[in-house]
Amino acid sequence: MTYTPEIQEKEVTGATIWLTGLPSAGKTTIAYELAGRLRAEGHLVELLDGDEIREFLSAGLGFTREDRHTNVQRIGFVAELLASNGVKVLVPVIAPYADSRDAVRKRHQSEGTPYLEVHVATPVEVCSERDVKGLYAKQAAGEIRGLTGVDDPYEEPETPDLRIESQNQTVQESAAAVHALLTERGLA
């Protein structure tokens, strides 16, 4: 008996969509909205949330530049692996350093895997008002140090594939903008 694999009628193209921005910029909220839309269209979707990755894949890493770089590279590796297998991978992760994000992009390029960088460019003042996790309040009270964009650097992407100012539109409009980019690139 010979095994004959099923032939797919439609080629499934995966991609990594990296949403970078300050804490409380809206990255994860936009990613969940986009994930729902993509799943409704029949796409395989995985969301690699930064907090979950830190708990399970990068446990033990701190917030030094080196540890942040290692964290981003681990996430980038997993994202590329999934994307190369037909999954739309949404990555709402701060990734504060340009060289770390560039290394992830280069890895994707070397593997021939689509990669899109979306900068959720919400001003720090708006992020601190949202303060979803209470980080800005803790930093202001002196309880924590090294908050990205406040007392630790955030290097904004110079040429992202898309820049979203989440404070000027709804979550649905932000997700629609990313979806439009995916469609434009033949990925949705």
Side-chain angles (χ1 to χ4, degrees), residues 31-99:
Y32 274 106
E33 180 70 25
L34 178 60
R37 182 171 180 170
L38 290 170
R39 286 184 181 118
E41 294 173 354
H43 295 276
L44 296 173
V45 179
E46 190 61 54
L47 197 144
L48 300 179
D49 180 77
D51 292 333
E52 291 175 359
I53 294 293
R54 277 221 171 250
E55 182 179 350
F56 298 106
L57 187 63
S58 295
L61 289 180
F63 292 91
T64 65
R65 184 179 177 101
E66 291 165 348
D67 283 355
R68 288 177 190 251
H69 179 76
T70 298
N71 184 50
V72 168
Q73 297 316 297
R74 287 178 183 177
I75 297 167
F77 173 80
V78 172
E80 194 284 322
L81 184 65
L82 289 167
S84 69
N85 284 284
V87 178
K88 300 292 187 290
V89 186
L90 307 178
V91 185
V93 174
I94 296 168
Y97 301 110
D99 60 342

Side-chain angles (χ1 to χ4, degrees), residues 19-35:
L19 295 98
T20 179
L22 297 174
S24 297
K27 302 176 299 297
T28 302
T29 305
I30 294 167
Y32 274 106
E33 180 70 25
L34 178 60

Side-chain angles (χ1 to χ4, degrees), residues 152-173:
D152 209 50
Y154 176 75
E155 299 170 357
E156 290 191 8
E158 291 182 16
T159 57
D161 296 285
L162 177 66
R163 189 177 314 275
I164 292 174
E165 295 181 3
S166 70
Q167 74 280 9
N168 296 330
Q169 57 192 44
T170 66
V171 172
Q172 293 77 16
E173 289 169 335

Side-chain angles (χ1 to χ4, degrees), residues 22-30 49 51 122 124-138 147 166:
L22 297 174
S24 297
K27 302 176 299 297
T28 302
T29 305
I30 294 167
D49 180 77
D51 292 333
T122 310
V124 69
E125 300 78 24
V126 174
C127 294
S128 65
E129 288 173 16
R130 292 177 180 171
D131 204 9
V132 178
K133 300 172 192 166
L135 297 175
Y136 292 92
K138 288 179 181 176
L147 181 59
S166 70

